[in-house]
Amino acid sequence: MNADSSPAGASGGLPILRVLCCALSVTASEVCLKKAADGMPNLMSASSWLEIQTLGSGWVLAGILCYILSFVFWLRVLQVLPLNIAFNLVNIEHIFVPLASYFFLGEMISPIRAAGIGIVLLGVLVIAEPYCRLEERA
Amino acid sequence: MTVWFFIIVILSQAFLVGGQIFLKHAMNKTEEAGTDRRASTFPFICGIGLMTLWFFLWFWLLSQVELSYLYPFDALSPLFMAFGASIALKEKMTPHLWGGILLIVGGLLIVGASQ
């Protein structure tokens, strides 16, 4: 596919796997950092400073590693998609994060929040749809 | 909230958009055949630098106000990105893209309001 023939000047088809890997690794990073934050003592109390090594705990390290991984995938997405499309497709993380919070952290999703997540998903699908149609034709 | 607060929010969004534009510019340079590495290193460093500034500014804003108050401003970033990328990178904006961006912004504002 030629760069000019694709919607908004993308240089290839939709790199669904890279976009998903980027969004999923951001989600994993958020969950790990939340787990780490929940397990940390109250840093305002004097005795808790002795426990500050929990900052180097497994959850924090896992969160940082996932964040670095997401940045690598993000750069790979930027290599093939225009910034406008890449930035908005990766917004799918706003769907994955609440779902992961529900499944892994036991947080509740209110009906209003679920409606907002549904509208974000619709927006991502509207942006992705022309690329999916091009891939079907190819 | 003071005028300064809004100026700092806009500045943080400008750092975010600027950082992403520099990163995209660096990635475009690496794609160009025969380009020497230094051509993509400079925009890459600028991108990382601006993203770092955005991170610390956003972190400071989070310490000043509640997340539910700040979240709607973050939800506007797809709109800022659309204007930034179309002006700085000459990316084409299609009706599909505008429609998708408005839906995402609307959805994120509702998620923010539900906090």
Side-chain angles (χ1 to χ4, degrees):
Chain A
M1 188 195 305
N2 163 314
D4 296 328
S5 67
S6 58
S11 59
L14 192 64
I16 293 173
L17 196 63
R18 290 182 202 180
V19 171
L20 282 177
C21 286
C22 181
L24 285 173
S25 44
V26 170
T27 305
S29 159
E30 300 280 353
V31 171
C32 290
L33 291 176
K34 175 66 179 160
K35 286 262 191 195
D38 286 347
M40 264 169 53
N42 176 13
L43 294 180
M44 297 310 286
S45 76
S47 62
S48 65
W49 285 96
L50 297 172
E51 299 171 62
I52 203 151
Q53 59 265 33
T54 51
L55 278 174
S57 74
W59 286 118
V60 175
L61 291 176
I64 292 169
L65 278 177
C66 287
Y67 199 79
I68 292 170
L69 194 64
S70 77
F71 187 70
V72 172
F73 279 120
W74 173 241
L75 291 180
R76 301 279 293 153
V77 171
L78 277 185
Q79 273 183 327
V80 291
L81 280 183
L83 177 60
N84 255 325
I85 291 149
F87 188 78
N88 289 299
L89 288 181
V90 172
N91 269 312
I92 204 161
E93 77 196 33
H94 292 290
I95 296 153
F96 292 154
V97 172
L99 286 177
S101 309
Y102 176 77
F103 287 112
F104 299 110
L105 303 171
E107 293 179 5
M108 294 306 294
I109 302 175
S110 67
I112 296 175
R113 188 169 294 182
I117 292 167
I119 295 171
V120 171
L121 179 62
L122 191 65
V124 171
L125 289 176
V126 165
I127 291 171
E129 194 262 346
Y131 293 90
C132 296
R133 221 182 318 145
L134 274 172
E135 278 186 350
E136 276 171 18
R137 278 188 210 157
Chain B
M1 281 297 129
T2 61
V3 174
W4 277 108
F5 173 80
F6 289 103
I7 290 174
I8 292 170
V9 169
I10 298 293
L11 194 63
S12 76
Q13 291 296 312
F15 285 153
L16 172 66
V17 173
Q20 294 291 1
I21 286 171
F22 271 112
L23 285 180
K24 175 61 184 165
H25 188 61
M27 289 300 107
N28 287 346
K29 288 278 177 194
T30 57
E31 286 289 290
E32 288 169 15
T35 301
D36 80 278
R37 223 163 234 287
R38 278 172 299 179
S40 64
T41 305
F42 180 69
F44 189 77
I45 290 170
C46 288
I48 297 282
L50 283 174
M51 293 294 289
T52 308
L53 285 174
W54 163 77
F55 176 82
F56 284 110
L57 212 49
W58 195 252
F59 202 68
W60 181 79
L61 284 168
L62 275 174
S63 71
Q64 301 298 307
V65 294
E66 291 178 352
L67 177 64
S68 55
Y69 183 79
L70 202 56
Y71 198 84
F73 293 103
D74 190 38
L76 294 175
S77 60
L79 271 181
F80 291 127
M81 197 64 74
F83 287 114
S86 58
I87 293 166
L89 298 169
K90 309 275 183 270
E91 289 185 1
K92 275 188 246 169
M93 292 300 294
T94 62
H96 250 97
L97 200 46
W98 277 120
I101 288 170
L102 292 178
L103 281 169
I104 289 170
V105 170
L108 291 178
L109 289 175
I110 291 172
V111 171
S114 74
Q115 282 177 347

